Amino acid sequence: MSLFKKALWVFVLASGSFLCLLSCQRRSTPYKIYYLDAEKRHIDYSRVPKGDLKNRPKEEEIKYFFPTGSYSLDIDELDYEELPDISYDRDYDDGYDYINRYTVEEGWNIMDLKGNLLSELDMRNRFERVEVKDVVYYRTKTNIEGYQTINESYTLGAVKITHYCTKIKPIAVPEDLILDDNFIVRLYDKNDEIIDEYKMRNFVAVEDYKRDPVGSQNKITDSGTDAWLIGMLKLPPRSKRKGLKYRVLRLDKNGNPKPHLYEGAYKHPYQYYLYEDPLPPYSEYKYWYYNSSSGCYSRVLRPEPQFFNERLR
């Protein structure tokens, strides 16, 4: 999947998540872009509609936080490199396997046949940097048949939205749309103590799920997946909300956090969560949209101009 298609896919899903969480009516109202400087495309946020200001709840009425994010897992076979002919009568054959230099130099994570991630020491010991006809490769005498590369990411997506709500929204936490029961979100207080946790759900259209419940968008396959996840956290009383943060984690079969295998993860001490972010108090948000019928307040972290071209239901 190209970077452009993946970025477009993430944006569509992020927009869908936002719209579904705010939706209670079918009719839509188109928003305009309000520019301070049309040439530089700076938005005048003071003129952007902010929803139902009159009925905006107080912070003590906000009970839930709904984290959303884009999860991507890519698993591929470790490819061999075909070397150029060394002579006219034979191919270059010295008993080594050769791989592309960028696999090592750009920090690809490599798994062996047992599913173990090669460490930085393993990489240095197994792969030797050489030049063949002025082209750099890495070679090894280890049989890498069946070895794989693996990389995963979790981001807030192109729109970067957070949701605060006065009540539970079943549409945001469907029980049957599960990508993997081992994805969870945890809420921490200022002392780094866990005060709430919830399983993350795969946020896809219910109709699509019922039509194809075993489709690739609903599960992790041998080659990975791309999915939009959503969870739910119950907030403590207003007086105890200072210093809150949340983490998104993927657990192993024993319930322990798995390392986040972002690009180059093998070079660093493992990070045992996919994402971490503080929860500023609801009252501190500057750019937001509140929908009284759904009881949800949504904040755009880094508003993009195209966001305000979308229709908010």
Side-chain angles (χ1 to χ4, degrees), residues 85-304:
D85 290 348
I86 298 303
S87 66
Y88 291 106
D89 58 352
R90 70 179 182 88
D91 290 332
Y92 191 67
D93 186 7
D94 58 1
Y96 285 91
D97 285 329
Y98 286 76
I99 63 174
N100 190 295
R101 61 180 293 190
Y102 300 108
T103 302
V104 175
E105 294 180 358
E106 292 192 358
W108 290 23
N109 301 308
I110 300 176
M111 291 189 305
D112 63 18
L113 295 175
K114 295 182 179 180
N116 298 316
L117 194 68
L118 300 188
S119 67
E120 189 169 15
L121 180 61
D122 290 332
M123 298 285 276
R124 288 200 303 265
N125 289 340
R126 297 191 194 190
F127 299 101
E128 177 187 5
R129 192 177 193 273
V130 295
E131 287 190 17
V132 178
K133 285 192 170 182
D134 298 325
V135 178
V136 175
Y137 298 93
Y138 280 83
R139 70 180 186 180
T140 181
K141 284 196 173 180
T142 299
N143 181 7
I144 59 175
E145 183 73 31
Y147 277 47
Q148 294 177 310
T149 61
I150 178 170
N151 284 288
E152 66 179 353
S153 66
Y154 182 94
T155 69
L156 295 186
V159 182
K160 299 182 175 65
I161 299 173
T162 60
H163 309 282
Y164 281 92
C165 298
T166 59
K167 53 191 176 182
I168 294 175
K169 295 298 295 178
I171 193 173
V173 285
E175 289 297 320
D176 52 349
L177 306 184
I178 303 172
L179 177 74
D180 181 339
D181 256 337
N182 294 315
F183 283 99
I184 65 169
V185 58
R186 285 177 175 166
L187 182 64
Y188 297 80
D189 63 16
K190 63 181 180 180
N191 298 316
D192 215 32
E193 296 291 331
I194 299 173
I195 56 176
D196 195 28
E197 73 174 34
Y198 198 88
K199 289 182 178 179
M200 299 288 281
R201 301 304 185 191
N202 186 16
F203 196 78
V204 298
V206 175
E207 294 77 9
D208 293 341
Y209 180 86
K210 290 180 178 179
R211 182 167 53 249
D212 185 17
V214 296
S216 59
Q217 77 276 16
N218 301 326
K219 64 180 182 179
I220 295 177
T221 67
D222 291 340
S223 60
T225 190
D226 287 289
W228 189 257
L229 302 180
I230 184 167
M232 178 181 74
L233 293 169
K234 186 173 183 179
L235 297 173
R238 177 181 178 179
S239 60
K240 298 182 179 179
R241 293 182 185 178
K242 187 176 182 179
L244 294 181
K245 68 179 180 181
Y246 75 97
R247 286 177 176 172
V248 177
L249 308 93
R250 187 179 177 199
L251 308 181
D252 62 22
K253 61 182 179 181
N254 298 316
N256 299 315
K258 297 179 68 173
H260 180 196
L261 301 181
Y262 56 88
E263 188 174 282
Y266 73 90
K267 297 180 180 179
H268 310 284
Y270 285 152
Q271 175 179 298
Y272 287 91
Y273 54 86
L274 298 170
Y275 184 81
E276 178 183 83
D277 208 23
L279 256 65
Y282 157 76
S283 58
E284 290 184 8
Y285 284 146
K286 186 175 182 181
Y287 308 127
W288 54 274
Y289 180 87
Y290 178 66
N291 185 303
S292 60
S293 59
S294 67
C296 289
Y297 159 96
S298 298
R299 178 211 182 197
V300 181
L301 296 180
R302 296 183 181 86
E304 301 292 342

